Amino acid sequence: MYAFFFRHVLSRLDPERAHHLAFDVIRAIPRSGFASLVRRYTAPDASLAVRALGLEFESPFGVAAGFDKDGRAIVGLGLLGFGHVEVGTLTAKAQPGNEKPRLFRLVPDRAVINRMGFNNGGAASAALRIAQTTSASWRPIVGINIGKSRVVDVADAIDDYRSSARALAPVADYLVVNVSSPNTPGLRGLQELDKLAPLLTAVREEAGPVPLLVKIAPDLSDDEVRRISELAVSLGLDGIIATNTTISRDGLRTDPSVVDAAGAGGLSGPPVAARSLEVLRLVRAVVPAEMCVISVGGVETAADVAERLTAGATLVQGYTAFLYRGPFWAREVNRGLARIGRRQDAQRSH
């Protein structure tokens, strides 16, 4: 039914408008009177629970940053079956993001190009909103992803990140330093080790006991991935998220004229899956087994998520397939993961 609705209704709407319509529905679920019914339909199987970052996740599958930029739909997303929601990217200063249009579907690839530009209402405003969810029923684990404010020079990025971390650490289950979006000028340069080490050290100080992770780009070289992984270990970070969107346009099935018309931005969805999996394996080969590694990039099905878990991911995130799979995507993935787990248990028992 959703596939029919997407093909004949949503696909004809501006992608950002379609996102906002779906988002408003998700926000309304906790107040709809149907929350308990939705929860019974979508609750992850108990066998899927994962202990990571000192926290208990109902499912290893969560929503990547970018879907809920301001922490407005945390409880609704939890009700849909996501084990965690990564809010953001949030910046110290409120900002409107890039000019529209800034979100584009590549339907033949089930992919998306975005150049949103960290549009959000600012860290302080989000902190107040997220704090109001702490006692809510069905609240998932909440990660908060922070980035550099566009008006702040790269040379002043540390103080800017410090400000965001100071405001958001008290309401976060974990924090993520985003230095890998392609849509903020100069941001990816912060992945250079001489810039990244002092930045992560500063945010670590502000985060205090809150688990801290860094999110990296798929466009790094293998050697750069290894070096950043080693840095994360040496600084005592709690984890790495691999990966963000890619600036590559290789191997797309969508008409090149459509891709060219979309222009610059980060590509997400199945076209980034292979590189995301490669980066996951590179990271896991460097970091200790107990370090949390969150894999994101191109996952659609339970089999995709299971592949990432087998390759060493502690948790897995998705976003783009939400647009193509619909509101019960997390339920589909969780049900599939439970079936895969039962099948594996049966094979081991023989």
Side-chain angles (χ1 to χ4, degrees), residues 166-198:
R166 193 178 308 124
L168 293 164
V171 296
D173 290 317
Y174 70 84
L175 276 176
V176 182
V177 173
N178 185 353
V179 287
S180 50
S181 169
N183 298 319
T184 296
L187 187 78
R188 284 193 169 193
L190 294 173
Q191 292 177 117
E192 297 170 13
L193 295 188
D194 61 335
K195 296 183 177 69
L196 187 58

Side-chain angles (χ1 to χ4, degrees), residues 39 42-51 56-60 334-335 337-338 342 345:
R39 172 65 178 176
T42 61
D45 190 279
S47 66
L48 298 181
V50 175
R51 182 81 179 165
E56 195 74 30
F57 294 75
E58 279 195 317
S59 163
N334 287 330
R335 292 298 188 275
L337 286 175
R342 287 192 294 270
D345 288 343

Side-chain angles (χ1 to χ4, degrees), residues 12-332:
R12 301 185 181 190
L13 295 177
D14 171 75
E16 190 167 351
R17 174 162 172 71
H19 171 79
H20 286 306
L21 288 173
F23 190 81
D24 288 344
V25 172
I26 294 168
R27 285 181 63 190
I29 294 172
R31 304 184 301 274
S32 67
F34 298 103
S36 296
L37 182 63
V38 171
R39 172 65 178 176
R40 284 199 296 272
Y41 182 69
T42 61
D45 190 279
S47 66
L48 298 181
V50 175
R51 182 81 179 165
L53 301 172
L55 304 163
E56 195 74 30
F57 294 75
E58 279 195 317
S59 163
F61 187 55
V63 184
F67 190 88
D68 187 359
K69 294 180 178 297
D70 282 294
R72 298 178 184 275
I74 291 168
V75 178
L77 289 164
L79 281 166
L80 289 178
F82 291 100
H84 67 283
V85 175
E86 191 167 304
V87 172
T89 296
L90 287 163
T91 54
K93 302 177 187 300
Q95 54 188 42
N98 294 321
E99 291 185 5
K100 299 178 181 179
R102 54 193 181 181
L103 186 65
F104 308 87
R105 302 184 196 93
L106 306 186
V107 176
D109 293 287
R110 299 178 69 82
V112 166
I113 291 173
N114 94 81
R115 52 172 175 272
M116 303 300 289
F118 292 170
N119 54 306
N120 73 101
S125 175
L128 294 173
R129 190 177 306 110
I130 295 166
Q132 294 171 357
T133 71
T134 54
S135 60
S137 300
W138 308 299
R139 180 187 187 267
I141 298 295
V142 177
I144 303 180
N145 184 300
I146 59 175
K148 185 184 76 67
S149 302
R150 191 181 187 94
V151 297
V152 172
D153 190 86
V154 171
D156 300 317
I158 289 179
D159 286 342
D160 188 61
Y161 276 91
R162 272 190 182 274
S163 179
S164 292
R166 193 178 308 124
L168 293 164
V171 296
D173 290 317
Y174 70 84
L175 276 176
V176 182
V177 173
N178 185 353
V179 287
S180 50
S181 169
N183 298 319
T184 296
L187 187 78
R188 284 193 169 193
L190 294 173
Q191 292 177 117
E192 297 170 13
L193 295 188
D194 61 335
K195 296 183 177 69
L196 187 58
L199 172 61
L200 293 175
T201 300
V203 176
R204 169 83 283 171
E205 292 173 1
E206 297 292 347
V210 178
L212 181 65
L213 300 86
V214 62
K215 186 169 185 177
I216 62 175
D219 306 308
L220 295 168
S221 70
D222 290 0
D223 192 49
E224 287 171 328
V225 170
R226 294 187 189 98
R227 291 205 305 270
I228 291 176
S229 300
E230 291 166 353
L231 176 67
V233 174
S234 69
L235 294 178
L237 263 61
D238 300 279
I240 296 172
I241 301 183
T243 60
N244 213 316
T245 57
T246 181
I247 57 174
S248 170
R249 300 292 187 265
D250 294 340
L252 295 176
R253 290 178 291 183
T254 301
D255 187 304
S257 65
V258 174
V259 178
D260 291 343
L267 174 70
S268 60
V272 79
R275 180 56 183 166
S276 178
L277 182 58
E278 287 175 355
V279 174
L280 165 63
R281 289 175 170 145
L282 288 167
V283 171
R284 183 46 82 194
V286 172
V287 305
E290 63 272 17
M291 178 177 262
C292 179
V293 180
I294 302 179
S295 183
V296 54
V299 296
E300 270 209 37
T301 66
D304 295 335
V305 176
E307 181 181 34
R308 302 301 174 92
L309 295 172
T310 300
T314 316
L315 303 166
V316 181
Q317 295 176 344
Y319 172 0
T320 301
F322 211 153
L323 282 65
Y324 293 98
R325 293 268 177 172
F328 295 114
W329 177 40
R331 180 185 185 273
E332 293 174 17

